[in-house]
Amino acid sequence: MRRRSPVPAPARLRAPVVALLAALVAASAVFLGAGSAEAAGYRYWSFWDGNGKNWEYATQGPSLLRPDDGAVQGFRFAVSEDAGDAAQPRRAPDFGAICADTPAKDGRKRVALVIDPGTAADAPDGEKPPAPRTACAQVAPDASSAEALAAVAKPLRYDSSAMLCAISGYPKSGCGEQVSGEDGSAKPTPSTTASGRTADEADDDSGDGGGGPSVGLLVGIGAVLLLGVAAVVQARRRR
């Protein structure tokens, strides 16, 4: 009787390896899908510096920054995850156009402001954003951006941590609240966790609140990898 040849080790390991790869693909889809569904942003007023042609996300809060005469500052209300994806003001940072009707005055400085309340999609429930507008604030030489804003856009509203919550009364409530990426609903959260600039403090841009993998995702993938390694080891022992 002819003896059957033993099955080579690679063939015996093929099935568990294929199963492992399938499990990894499935797990990655589940974990990555969950991460996308749970992605969230914050609804807040972001603060911008105009460089003559473009907008740059401000590196200081409006109460700390003391702009020079001829500066252009922008405020934009929107939902965003962090400074990297924050929506810019929808008006050009054009000092000449904004302050054309405000002549220079001794002992005062002019700061051009662009105030953009954003779109209906970013508005809190039941509120309608006013139209974007510009203003030329003429203030004392040592005035901050917050003081320039207060000169032309009252009432302003701040929270207990001095985060700018409302400009000209918009929005009526809320301040840096987290907005669920799944259904667009707002979830109250301490304003200091929002990625918007506060009035008294600059953002800590060294934080890790970006879009990297979550701890849950890494733990889940690690668990699948461990199970796969165990399956391969067990298959080798059966050779």
Side-chain angles (χ1 to χ4, degrees):
M1 184 175 179
R2 207 172 163 186
R3 177 177 294 180
R4 181 178 297 177
S5 301
V7 178
R12 294 201 304 270
L13 291 176
R14 189 176 301 156
V17 170
V18 171
L20 169 60
L21 291 176
L24 285 175
V25 171
S28 299
V30 170
F31 287 124
L32 293 177
S36 299
E38 294 173 2
Y42 296 90
R43 182 182 286 124
Y44 68 100
W45 281 99
S46 57
F47 179 45
W48 301 80
D49 281 323
N51 63 10
K53 294 183 179 180
N54 303 307
W55 291 109
E56 298 176 351
Y57 203 86
T59 58
Q60 289 182 295
S63 75
L64 294 179
L65 185 61
R66 299 187 182 279
D68 296 328
D69 180 72
V72 186
Q73 314 264 257
F75 295 85
R76 171 66 192 267
F77 189 77
V79 174
S80 59
E81 292 185 36
D82 51 39
D85 76 340
Q88 298 182 5
R90 293 170 294 169
R91 295 287 188 274
D94 188 340
F95 177 84
I98 296 172
C99 288
D101 297 329
T102 305
K105 188 175 181 180
D106 289 341
R108 310 286 285 178
K109 68 179 178 183
R110 293 175 298 169
V111 180
L113 299 172
V114 175
I115 303 169
D116 187 347
T119 67
D122 294 324
D125 291 342
E127 295 201 51
K128 181 179 179 181
R133 68 185 182 94
T134 61
C136 186
Q138 196 163 56
V139 291
D142 62 346
S144 67
S145 300
E147 291 170 322
L149 180 65
V152 297
K154 289 182 178 179
L156 304 181
R157 178 168 56 86
Y158 293 91
D159 71 357
S160 59
S161 65
M163 181 175 185
L164 179 62
C165 303
I167 298 176
S168 298
Y170 180 81
K172 296 178 181 178
S173 62
C175 192
E177 65 269 21
Q178 185 177 3
V179 179
S180 170
E182 186 173 347
D183 57 8
S185 60
K187 297 179 179 179
T189 188
S191 60
T192 53
T193 65
S195 53
R197 303 287 171 182
T198 65
D200 288 339
E201 298 179 5
D203 265 357
D204 180 5
D205 291 331
S206 63
D208 57 359
S214 67
V215 174
L217 172 60
L218 296 176
V219 170
I221 292 178
V224 173
L225 286 172
L226 287 175
L227 290 174
V229 171
V232 172
V233 170
Q234 184 176 9
R236 287 180 175 175
R237 289 177 176 176
R238 291 175 178 174
R239 288 192 304 176

